[in-house]
Amino acid sequence: MWKKLLDHLKGIAPMVVGAAGTAAGGPLVGGVLANVARSITGKGDLDDAAGAIFGDPDLMVKMEQLAVEREKNEQDAEIRRLELASKQQEMVNLTMQAEAKADDKWTRRWRPYFGYVAATAFGLQIVGVVYIMVTGGDPELIARVVSLTPIWTPALAVLGVTSWGRSQEKTARIKNGHSK
């Protein structure tokens, strides 16, 4: 009976039921709907709650209204998340533009400098690991070097954004008839 209720609600509010609902009350979404069904009917057993909802048109309408309301709230939350991500990207772009226009050489060039330093450190780390492997060095030492890999996530993210930004700048310059 519970699966029948979930299947019915998929037609009304698919985002609410979603993939978790296909597992007949999956851990997150199914649990939320189960709690709503229990609170509407006052029944503890899911099958009893679903049976009561299907047996009473008013309860069915109430459940559908709650499902639609929850779906709308989830969509609004997703829109807010995307708006925040867009604003964050705008701020990054404004920061990079301000740095590029700055009078101070270090302000303009810190990203490329960081790229050179990171590339050098990354290259030295690779050479060191290869050297350890070729000379039959201590495997525990290699494991310690490998444990340094989390430090590369932010460094490579900064380099990726910088490379992408520089590519966009160069493409714009070429389109505007300027070389280099």
Side-chain angles (χ1 to χ4, degrees):
M1 186 60 86
W2 175 242
K3 182 151 176 39
K4 183 178 174 185
L5 178 62
L6 288 173
D7 288 340
H8 174 76
L9 289 174
K10 275 188 212 174
I12 297 161
M15 189 171 165
V16 171
V17 178
T22 61
L28 180 61
V29 176
V32 170
L33 291 174
N35 288 337
V36 170
R38 287 180 180 130
S39 69
I40 289 173
T41 62
K43 309 230 184 244
D45 182 67
L46 291 179
D47 285 331
D48 290 345
I53 290 171
F54 274 116
D56 184 344
D58 291 335
L59 290 179
M60 182 62 109
V61 168
K62 189 172 182 180
M63 183 75 171
E64 289 172 1
Q65 287 172 335
L66 290 172
V68 168
E69 182 180 325
R70 182 166 176 83
E71 177 140 356
K72 182 187 178 310
N73 290 341
E74 287 182 6
Q75 290 172 348
D76 290 346
E78 179 65 13
I79 289 169
R80 283 191 303 275
R81 188 191 67 73
L82 291 172
E83 287 171 348
L84 287 173
S86 176
K87 286 180 183 177
Q88 184 179 20
Q89 187 61 45
E90 278 181 42
M91 293 304 296
V92 169
N93 290 341
L94 290 173
T95 301
M96 289 177 74
Q97 289 171 12
E99 288 171 357
K101 294 175 186 173
D103 292 332
D104 181 45
K105 288 181 181 180
W106 279 107
T107 302
R108 281 195 319 264
R109 297 180 180 149
W110 80 268
R111 289 177 195 265
Y113 176 78
F114 179 77
Y116 296 132
V117 170
T120 302
F122 192 59
L124 289 172
Q125 184 175 342
I126 290 170
V127 168
V129 169
V130 169
Y131 177 78
I132 292 168
M133 291 171 66
V134 168
T135 60
D138 183 11
E140 188 176 315
L141 183 58
I142 293 174
R144 282 191 224 137
V145 172
V146 169
S147 71
L148 295 174
T149 56
I151 68 171
W152 293 109
T153 301
L156 294 175
V158 167
L159 290 175
V161 169
T162 303
S163 298
W164 179 82
R166 294 287 293 151
S167 297
Q168 296 300 318
E169 290 172 13
K170 289 178 181 180
T171 302
R173 270 190 255 135
I174 290 170
K175 283 183 181 178
N176 292 330
H178 303 290
S179 62
K180 297 182 184 180

